[in-house]
Amino acid sequence: MEAMRHRLRTPEAAKLYKKRGATVEPVNGMIKDRHRLRRFSLRGLAACLGELNLTATTHNLRRLFTTLHTTTP
């Protein structure tokens, strides 16, 4: 808790941290909810990182596909 107070002591840092809620947190929520990744299936750091990278890749591909096919020229 003390480290967070130290990081947010300037108004610029607080403003930057506030943007996290709109940029990073929704992605974490979608990965947990839509990809159902609440626990890792594999054991070990390397295996978990591989599983997370695969999930992040599928998330990005789905967003790219949706973006490309919903916009009209």
Side-chain angles (χ1 to χ4, degrees):
M1 190 68 171
E2 194 63 34
M4 187 55 76
R5 274 193 217 121
H6 178 70
R7 288 182 189 163
L8 298 177
R9 67 178 180 224
T10 65
E12 295 86 19
K15 186 177 177 182
L16 186 63
Y17 186 75
K18 188 174 182 179
K19 289 176 78 175
R20 174 185 166 89
T23 57
V24 177
E25 296 301 330
V27 174
N28 292 338
M30 283 190 273
I31 286 176
K32 285 175 73 175
D33 184 52
R34 294 187 184 154
H35 294 278
R36 296 183 181 102
L37 184 68
R38 295 184 181 273
R39 291 186 181 179
F40 291 107
S41 301
L42 305 173
R43 296 177 70 182
L45 181 60
C48 288
L49 285 175
E51 193 173 346
L52 180 61
N53 286 334
L54 181 62
T55 302
T57 302
T58 59
H59 172 77
N60 289 332
L61 287 172
R62 290 175 83 180
R63 288 197 60 179
L64 181 64
F65 181 81
T66 303
T67 301
L68 291 175
H69 290 317
T70 58
T71 56
T72 54

